[in-house]
Amino acid sequence: MGVGRFAPSPTGQLHLGNLRTAILAWLFARSTGRQCLLRIEDLDRVRSGAEEEQLSELASIGLEFDAPVVRQSDRLSSYLEAIESLREKGLVFECFCTRKDISGAASAPHAAPGAYPGTCRNLTAEERAARAQQRPAALRLRSAVDQFTIQDELFGSYTGVVDDFVLLRNDGSPAYNLAVVVDDGAYGIDQVVRGDDLLSSAPRQAYLAQLLGLPIPTYAHVPLALNVQGQRLAKRDGAVTLEDLSEKGLNGAQIRAYLLESLGLPGTSLQAALDAFKPSDLPREPWVVEPEFIVDQLMPPASHNR
Ligand code: GLU
């Protein structure tokens, strides 16, 4: 049996867009007979208490995940082992660049915009020792390709940049791309469903999976939630979390129904949505959220509680 996952970062409460992605991850997994794991991506940007809030928010819209809940902060040794195995194959180099060094460097001919310019790729041992006096090194992957193609349920075949991306940051913490790939591999995750802001990371991750001898998962990058200005939905946009909406009198089942209907699925139950779920019928456009409109739609006028 395969495994899917939802992997929130515990930076705060989940908003409607995050909950919609969670529902999609669950539907994609369950509709294909997969388990669905929850992974807390708590390597950085953690807000204390956010993990507990997110777990209870997912429960209150009725999503059940398979055990165990994985926490990245418990898995540091696995990330370091993976980096070590790459290092043994000569696939890792030390990089002393600051962000400014990278943005100011002339990029290599034909390099993709934003790709690492290769500054530290071929330093001599003496040069490395001299730079190490100035600042600690990050570790980067010595990539043999500059692009890689993945298959996505919604985007089809997608080719994107692979550069010498960071594996270990210079504060000693594993980078997002490395941790995701190691975890997906360790837990048998063969289906990755997440917001389409991460589509451009998928080629790097798939390439890294291949280098680590791990199977490449299938991907489904799903539309993000936006505010009416077309920006990524955020807490400042109004009543966008379950807590905000429950203060206005809405419960988890009503919100779940609203989210399912926004996906063109029946809102009556998760099972009904699962029965009707067909990836090819999903909306492909970003989901524009107007919090006031949601409350108006779901609450009978007399009971408005503002
Ligand atoms: N933790 C990431 C986020 O919340 C998702 C990472 C992933 O699904 O690979 O945006």
Side-chain angles (χ1 to χ4, degrees), residues 5 7-9 39 41 176 180 192-194 197-198 205:
R5 52 40 163 218
S9 302
R39 180 168 77 227
E41 302 213 322
Y176 158 71
V180 162
V192 168
V193 178
R194 60 189 175 192
D197 54 328
L198 290 169
Q205 295 173 6

Side-chain angles (χ1 to χ4, degrees), residues 3 18 112 121 165 179 195 211 213 215 227 287:
V3 188
N18 306 133
R121 198 176 217 256
F165 57 88
L211 290 179
N227 67 16
W287 182 50

Side-chain angles (χ1 to χ4, degrees), residues 6-199:
F6 178 60
S9 302
T11 54
Q13 293 175 344
L14 297 172
H15 62 50
L16 291 169
N18 306 133
L19 293 168
R20 191 176 188 249
T21 301
I23 288 179
L24 282 168
W26 189 93
L27 287 169
F28 267 98
R30 295 283 188 248
S31 67
T32 51
R34 287 177 164 89
Q35 291 196 319
C36 193
L37 289 185
L38 189 62
R39 180 168 77 227
I40 308 295
E41 302 213 322
D42 58 352
L43 289 180
D44 57 11
R45 299 184 302 128
V46 172
R47 206 206 69 203
S48 132
E51 177 187 325
E52 293 70 19
E53 280 171 356
Q54 293 186 345
L55 293 175
S56 95
E57 287 158 355
L58 293 168
S60 77
I61 59 165
L63 289 183
E64 285 175 9
F65 293 87
D66 294 288
V69 175
V70 179
R71 267 173 214 86
Q72 291 193 323
S73 56
D74 292 336
R75 298 196 19 82
L76 290 176
S77 59
S78 305
Y79 308 138
L80 299 179
E81 273 166 35
I83 294 173
E84 195 45 42
S85 77
L86 294 167
R87 196 207 278 272
E88 282 163 10
K89 294 188 201 138
L91 294 176
V92 173
F93 66 90
E94 290 180 308
C95 172
F96 303 91
C97 293
T98 60
R99 264 174 224 273
K100 214 162 133 218
D101 293 336
I102 293 174
S103 60
S107 45
H110 315 300
Y116 177 68
T119 320
C120 294
R121 198 176 217 256
N122 298 312
L123 296 181
T124 62
E126 293 74 38
E127 287 168 329
R128 284 202 302 275
R131 307 253 169 128
Q133 304 290 317
Q134 315 295 317
R135 65 197 309 265
L139 297 180
R140 286 182 183 270
L141 178 71
R142 188 180 293 281
S143 170
V145 302
D146 52 21
Q147 57 179 40
F148 199 77
T149 301
I150 56 121
Q151 301 306 321
D152 186 280
E153 287 267 2
L154 302 180
F155 285 85
S157 179
Y158 172 82
T159 301
V161 175
V162 178
D163 62 352
D164 291 338
F165 57 88
V166 173
L167 302 171
L168 189 74
R169 301 188 321 201
N170 81 347
D171 63 2
S173 56
Y176 158 71
N177 281 318
L178 184 269
V180 162
V181 171
V182 170
D183 289 340
D184 287 345
Y187 290 89
I189 286 163
D190 61 352
Q191 180 191 58
V192 168
V193 178
R194 60 189 175 192
D196 65 13
D197 54 328
L198 290 169
L199 177 65

